[in-house]
Amino acid sequence: MIKEIRNSNNEITPILPESRTVSGYAIVFNSDSNDLGGFIERIDPNSLDGVVEKSDVLCLLNHNEDRGVLARSNKGEGSLTLEIDEIGLKYTFEAPNTALGDELLEGLRRGDISTSSFAFTVGKDSWSKLENGTYLRTINSINELFDVSPVYRAAYDATSVKADSRGLDAIKQQEKEELANYYKELRSKLK
């Protein structure tokens, strides 16, 4: 399975100006991504069923584990609280009294950090083509969640991610075959 990273444009903010409690949405259900290289993506509301309970999820700054860990939820337990609601996956934690925790809080207060991201592997996805010709990948299930991260940049195209494109290739091949069959049938009727 390929580890993938996605960003969310929902704000992440400290709960109170002097508080060290940080909260945000790493995943927003049924929200279309930006172009991810020939397709857009949408996360199904049922995609996280049972995932939090089986995942070891770190809260990192910009997905960078080398800088340290802000919080952790190991199978739903720990210093990182993960809640699934009608909006998506919400995370909450107390920023640690470390240089990384202080950097995060300062970045939030200054407005340098205002968005979130997540890293995951896909359990099941489906592909379709929208009326405007854009391909849509729907993440039906997430196999494992690796991290939720406050990030400096939220543009999907700013992340280094390569989606498993086998589903996209298959739907394009199916379209070619359908078009070839259509023309074949049309030619036979014209004779």
Side-chain angles (χ1 to χ4, degrees):
M1 299 208 168
I2 299 171
K3 181 177 177 181
E4 300 187 33
I5 297 174
R6 297 293 185 271
N7 294 331
S8 165
N9 289 325
N10 282 334
E11 283 190 13
I12 174 174
T13 56
I15 301 297
L16 300 170
E18 300 304 316
S19 172
R20 294 189 75 84
T21 303
V22 177
S23 183
Y25 279 89
I27 297 174
V28 177
F29 298 135
N30 292 321
S31 177
D32 290 350
S33 71
N34 294 323
D35 188 315
L36 294 173
F39 67 97
I40 61 172
E41 191 171 77
R42 194 177 290 160
I43 308 293
D44 185 272
N46 297 314
S47 63
L48 289 169
D49 290 351
V51 174
V52 171
E53 297 79 12
K54 70 177 184 179
S55 295
D56 186 2
V57 184
L58 302 178
C59 184
L60 307 171
L61 182 57
N62 281 326
H63 300 287
N64 189 346
E65 191 174 344
D66 294 338
R67 298 216 35 226
V69 176
L70 294 163
R72 182 179 188 179
S73 172
N74 192 353
K75 297 176 178 61
E77 300 291 326
S79 56
L80 176 63
T81 301
L82 299 171
E83 298 174 76
I84 300 167
D85 61 20
E86 68 281 350
I87 296 170
L89 177 66
K90 182 178 182 179
Y91 66 97
T92 307
F93 65 97
E94 293 291 319
N97 288 313
T98 62
L100 184 62
D102 293 344
E103 177 185 338
L104 171 65
L105 291 174
E106 183 65 16
L108 289 168
R109 289 185 182 115
R110 289 171 36 134
D112 298 337
I113 302 169
S114 61
T115 55
S116 299
S117 181
F118 66 105
F120 67 106
T121 54
V122 175
K124 181 181 175 195
D125 62 358
S126 57
W127 293 84
S128 59
K129 191 172 184 179
L130 302 176
E131 287 182 18
N132 67 4
T134 302
Y135 292 97
L136 171 66
R137 178 190 195 197
T138 301
I139 304 297
N140 304 106
S141 70
I142 290 175
N143 189 49
E144 188 173 359
L145 189 60
F146 296 100
D147 73 68
V148 294
S149 293
V151 294
Y152 287 99
R153 295 179 191 249
Y156 279 88
D157 51 17
T159 64
S160 56
V161 61
K162 173 147 179 25
D164 181 353
S165 63
R166 289 175 294 189
L168 179 58
D169 294 341
I171 196 171
K172 285 182 177 181
Q173 182 61 36
Q174 179 184 352
E175 284 179 345
K176 284 181 186 178
E177 291 170 7
E178 288 173 358
L179 192 56
N181 288 337
Y182 170 77
Y183 283 122
K184 183 179 178 181
E185 185 178 317
L186 190 58
R187 279 192 290 273
S188 71
K189 289 180 180 179
L190 293 174
K191 290 183 181 181

